[in-house]
Amino acid sequence: VKEVEEIGMLLPQVEDCVLNIGKFNGMVSLAAFFPFKSAQAALENINAISEGVVHADLKLFLETNLPIGGKKKATLGVSDAKIGAALQEELGLSIQTGGVVAEILRGVRLHFHSLVKGLTAQAASKAQLGLGHSYSRAKVKFNVNRADNMIIQSIALLDQLDKDINTFSMRVREWYGYHFPELIRIVPDNSTYCRLAQLIGNRKELSEESLEALEEVVMDGAKAQAILEASRSSMGMDISPIDLINIERFSNRVVSLAAYRLELQEYLRSKMSQVAPNLAALIGDVVGARLISHAGSLTNLAKYPASTVQILGAEKALFRALKTRGNTPKYGLIFHSTFIGRAAAKNKGRISRYLANKCTIASRIDAFSELPTCVFGDKLRDQVEERLSFYETGEAPRKNLDVMKEAVIQAGEEAAQIKIKMEKKEKKRRKREKKLASLSTGDDEVEDANGKVEVYLSLPRGPVLITEVKAVVKKKKKKAADEVVKMEEEALAEENGDTPAKKKKKRKSEAMDVEPEAEEAPETPQTEKKKKKKKKEAE
């Protein structure tokens, strides 16, 4: 900056000059510019600045370009006071922050593309946008490879569906109960009741013919017979067709919701096996998903100590106990696992503490391992089982060190197998690409907007499009081309009126003509040998 003292005195004039590039160039000139080598380097620098740390790149840039010595000591203008203090401590420079510095830096940002040769405003804005996205992603700790937020949404939806299905089923029971009240006692299950209400409709129309359909729904012949008998002697009121239609429609909705719930549960199971396989193997899909949901993410759950995981979900009871100086809760969400239910009353607290410890280990392995395997989860589950049997029978469990050594060896083997599979897939992909390239040589290859490759083979009739490239790639180039040519010949024959059916008939008649001749000339042993030899060669 030229004439810093004058500019410092005339602050309002500086604000006006910032917008005018001509006036601004009279005040400011570019001394040095150092572009970042990569997006990663830019991200590292911005992270360092946000934490108030002097990065090695910044230090090197300032040491290289700042004037050393002279009568007047150089003053460095810095917009951020935190990084300014760090620079002063690190390099021993004279630092100025605030006031005129902020205005000058605003002008530098505004006219930066004009000051640096070869840089356009569009390129600069794109670079800023990319860096902004990567910086924000790093700040919110959002990992694009993990799908634990899908698990959080799935388990929340699953809980909501359970409540809704229960409420709707009660509504169907109450509504259809006016017409057929005895059905509630025979079929207590909500989902089955809704399916039966949909199937039966008007109870007066129920007959022996419907018995098979009823058996299919209730999966019990005695129950189906009881429903049939109850329908004949029911004390329910008569119902109009329009009411019956509405009940059936509502029952249909409830049944479809129950079916969707099963699909969602399967989806959750597949997601858990991808994201947290060890936690799912140890404590189950639903309980594991609840723990992840309550923690906010798998990374957060991995950061929790075992004591926090143990009472996760029982915060209300914990604070109430602390307030009233009563007994603190022994378990939270992990109570829903089968282990605590199977333990004796005096051992429930001990097993919940042990289980929380194993859950913490499993979640940390899932959060920070590269290849997801459920080996550790299975081993940890076996350990919990052994501990349960120890509480009941007194049989000493295996040492944790021995179990973990086994698990590490097994996990290494599985990881090697996964790597081999991935390498095979990669080889197959490359082979397929090579075949595709060799097939399409000499022919026209076009890629459409969706990235689908279309290959055109040059044939006598004109270029023919092969849409199913995958099927063609599997065969050799020559064979594929021959087949396409054959198809072309058949198409031409059809156009000439020589249909495949006619050709077949012609061949048949020719064969019949040849047969008598073959009968007249008896086959010699030499010809039989030749035939066998040809057969072997063909095979």
Side-chain angles (χ1 to χ4, degrees), residues 311 317-319 321-322 325-331:
I311 55 163
L318 174 70
F319 292 121
L322 292 171
R325 295 187 181 181
N327 293 330
T328 52
K330 293 183 183 121
Y331 28 69

Side-chain angles (χ1 to χ4, degrees), residues 100-120:
V100 76
V101 172
E103 287 301 320
I104 290 167
L105 283 173
R106 188 163 70 90
V108 169
R109 276 199 299 274
L110 185 66
H111 306 298
F112 189 63
H113 58 277
S114 305
L115 295 168
V116 178
K117 286 178 182 177
L119 183 73
T120 60

Side-chain angles (χ1 to χ4, degrees), residues 140-193:
V140 297
K141 301 285 187 281
F142 175 69
N143 189 349
V144 289
N145 301 319
R146 292 281 177 192
D148 52 1
N149 47 350
M150 298 299 163
I151 289 168
I152 293 164
Q153 294 300 329
S154 299
I155 196 68
L157 181 57
L158 207 62
D159 290 342
Q160 190 64 48
L161 275 173
D162 284 337
K163 286 177 187 174
D164 290 349
I165 289 166
N166 193 36
T167 310
F168 294 157
S169 300
M170 293 309 292
R171 179 69 51 222
V172 172
R173 278 167 172 264
E174 200 176 325
W175 202 351
Y176 193 65
Y178 294 131
H179 178 59
F180 194 178
E182 291 82 6
L183 189 63
I184 297 166
R185 285 201 309 274
I186 302 164
V187 184
D189 183 55
N190 286 338
S191 179
T192 313
Y193 186 92

Side-chain angles (χ1 to χ4, degrees), residues 5-21:
E5 287 158 355
E6 286 179 33
I7 288 167
M9 286 187 288
L10 305 166
L11 191 61
Q13 282 86 330
V14 172
E15 287 176 5
D16 295 335
C17 292
V18 160
L19 299 171
N20 191 328
I21 182 69

Side-chain angles (χ1 to χ4, degrees), residues 262-380:
L262 291 171
E263 287 172 21
L264 187 67
Q265 200 163 7
E266 194 57 44
Y267 166 74
L268 180 67
R269 190 177 289 114
S270 69
K271 275 287 167 196
M272 280 297 286
S273 65
Q274 289 168 18
V275 177
N278 293 299
L279 190 64
L282 171 63
I283 205 168
D285 303 305
V286 176
V287 182
R290 282 190 210 284
L291 286 172
I292 291 168
S293 177
H294 202 84
S297 72
L298 183 62
T299 314
N300 287 357
L301 184 65
K303 287 175 185 175
Y304 286 160
S307 56
T308 307
V309 174
Q310 187 184 344
I311 55 163
L312 208 65
E315 290 86 0
K316 221 177 195 179
L318 174 70
F319 292 121
R320 188 172 61 241
L322 292 171
K323 196 177 179 182
T324 57
R325 295 187 181 181
N327 293 330
T328 52
K330 293 183 183 121
Y331 28 69
L333 288 166
I334 60 169
F335 177 75
H336 297 291
S337 72
T338 54
F339 300 113
I340 293 166
R342 280 157 55 199
K346 62 177 182 179
N347 296 325
K348 281 188 190 292
R350 293 163 81 186
I351 201 72
S352 71
R353 190 164 58 250
Y354 189 79
L355 182 61
N357 187 10
K358 298 300 172 193
C359 282
T360 309
I361 293 166
S363 62
R364 284 169 189 174
I365 291 165
D366 286 329
F368 304 111
S369 63
E370 290 176 6
L371 292 165
T373 58
C374 60
V375 174
F376 289 99
D378 293 332
K379 293 287 180 187
L380 293 170

